[in-house]
């Protein structure tokens, strides 16, 4: 079974600075998807960024980018020019491409990000 | 667009009581999921329904039952609530495949979530 680990329960960053959230995962599969979800205090889960394992290029969405290291099974999220609205719980998630698994997501424990003004 | 709607948003139960969490999605998605979120444990899958008429257990199914009533609705039932079931529950949905411009596509795995239901069992 796949597992996802976020070793940083809490992180903090100054407004306008850059922060990196760590995520590692364990799988025997060669093709899969990885995600970062954001959960603000409203509890709504919001997709931040997605990475397909077969793609070597790291995904980027505006101020959010990932460092995907397939061999190391590492998938970190970098937030540049941090804003107060970035404060939230961030979850890393894994999904197999095999539909027999029900296409469900396996989540990490979460990292609570605080942005200081 | 309503997306994924869960009811109720909050509920307090006594041990042994039963209740049903309702979930409906208006995106014509095939697959629906119930997760629970607990501090330090992320989201864990309780049950899922890959398509209408099918349901399967996830990581933590004990103490729960589900019903995929139709393509839109997927309910989660606690028959005899226990304090260990105090949690925030999320319903989610997604499509496995579809067509766009005459081409078949496989989805990228994104889940669309409801706003969560906070359940407290005393």
């Amino acid at each position: 079974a796949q597992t996802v680990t976020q070793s940083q329960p809490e992180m903090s960053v100054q407004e306008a600075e850059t922060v990196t959230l760590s995520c590692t995962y364990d799988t025997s599969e060669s093709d899969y998807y990885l995600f970062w979800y954001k959960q603000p205090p409203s509890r709504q889960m919001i997709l931040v960024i997605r990475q397909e394992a077969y793609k070597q290029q790291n995904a980027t969405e505006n101020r959010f980018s990932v460092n995907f290291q397939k061999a190391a099974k590492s998938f970190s999220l970098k937030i540049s020019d941090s804003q107060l609205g970035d404060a939230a719980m961030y979850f890393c998630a894994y999904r197999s491409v095999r539909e027999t698994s029900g296409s469900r997501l396996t989540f990490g424990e979460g990292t609570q990000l605080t942005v200081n003004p | 667009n309503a997306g994924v709607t869960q009811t109720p948003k909050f509920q307090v139960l006594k041990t042994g009581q039963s209740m049903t969490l309702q979930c409906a999605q208006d995106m014509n998605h095939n697959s629906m999921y119930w997760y629970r979120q607990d501090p330090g444990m992320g989201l864990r899958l309780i049950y899922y329904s890959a398509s209408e008429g099918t349901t399967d257990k996830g990581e933590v199914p004990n103490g729960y039952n589900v019903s995929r009533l139709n393509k839109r609705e997927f309910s989660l039932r606690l028959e005899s609530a226990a304090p260990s079931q105090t949690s925030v529950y999320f319903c989610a949905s997604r499509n496995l495949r579809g067509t766009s411009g005459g081409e078949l596509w496989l989805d990228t795995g994104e889940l669309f979530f409801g706003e969560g239901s906070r359940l407290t069992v005393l």
Side-chain angles (χ1 to χ4, degrees):
Chain A
Q2 294 82 16
T3 59
V4 178
T5 302
Q6 294 176 247
S7 58
Q8 307 155 315
E10 297 177 346
M11 291 282 286
S12 63
V13 63
Q14 291 295 126
E15 196 174 3
E17 305 258 310
T18 296
V19 64
T20 299
L21 308 184
S22 300
C23 173
T24 59
Y25 57 94
D26 186 25
T27 183
S28 59
E29 298 176 335
S30 60
D31 202 10
Y32 45 87
Y33 297 113
L34 296 165
F35 305 85
W36 279 98
Y37 275 86
K38 170 185 177 181
Q39 185 183 44
S42 67
R43 289 205 311 243
Q44 184 71 49
M45 295 284 285
I46 303 166
L47 178 67
V48 175
I49 200 164
R50 172 181 56 232
Q51 174 80 43
E52 290 92 338
Y54 67 87
K55 290 185 178 179
Q56 294 185 340
Q57 186 173 9
N58 289 325
T60 300
E61 287 288 343
N62 300 315
R63 297 182 295 106
F64 298 88
S65 61
V66 299
N67 183 4
F68 173 48
Q69 302 288 329
K70 190 172 184 179
K73 297 180 182 176
S74 170
F75 182 61
S76 60
L77 174 70
K78 185 171 82 170
I79 306 174
S80 304
D81 185 26
S82 297
Q83 300 176 1
L84 295 177
D86 295 334
M89 179 74 84
Y90 286 82
F91 291 99
C92 177
Y94 170 103
R95 200 217 101 178
S96 169
V97 298
R98 293 183 297 115
E99 292 184 12
T100 54
S101 70
S103 302
R104 51 192 150 167
L105 295 185
T106 300
F107 287 86
E109 304 90 338
T111 297
Q112 182 68 51
L113 178 66
T114 301
V115 180
N116 300 310
Chain B
N1 290 334
V4 179
T5 303
Q6 293 180 229
T7 56
K9 298 283 190 294
F10 300 92
Q11 184 73 49
V12 178
L13 292 176
K14 295 181 180 178
T15 296
Q17 286 185 316
S18 62
M19 77 156 298
T20 299
L21 296 175
Q22 306 286 354
C23 176
Q25 51 91 9
D26 62 2
M27 297 174 283
N28 202 33
H29 285 173
N30 293 320
S31 300
M32 298 185 73
Y33 307 80
W34 276 106
Y35 284 86
R36 60 177 288 173
Q37 181 182 7
D38 302 290
M41 305 187 77
L43 280 78
R44 293 179 293 167
L45 183 65
I46 304 170
Y47 270 93
Y48 66 98
S49 170
S51 61
E52 186 178 357
T54 69
T55 60
D56 286 284
K57 295 179 180 179
E59 301 172 63
V60 289
N62 292 344
Y64 304 95
N65 285 302
V66 290
S67 295
R68 183 73 184 267
L69 304 171
N70 47 55
K71 190 171 185 179
R72 289 186 64 249
E73 299 172 290
F74 187 40
S75 63
L76 178 71
R77 182 161 179 83
L78 287 69
E79 291 290 352
S80 179
S84 61
Q85 293 177 305
T86 293
S87 187
V88 179
Y89 292 85
F90 285 93
C91 178
S93 72
R94 57 180 284 273
N95 252 348
L96 289 176
R97 62 173 64 86
T99 56
S100 176
E103 293 183 0
L104 178 67
W105 55 268
L106 292 178
D107 82 307
T108 54
E110 178 184 358
L111 289 185
F112 295 83
F113 286 85
E115 294 181 349
S117 300
R118 181 176 293 279
L119 176 64
T120 302
V121 183
L122 303 175

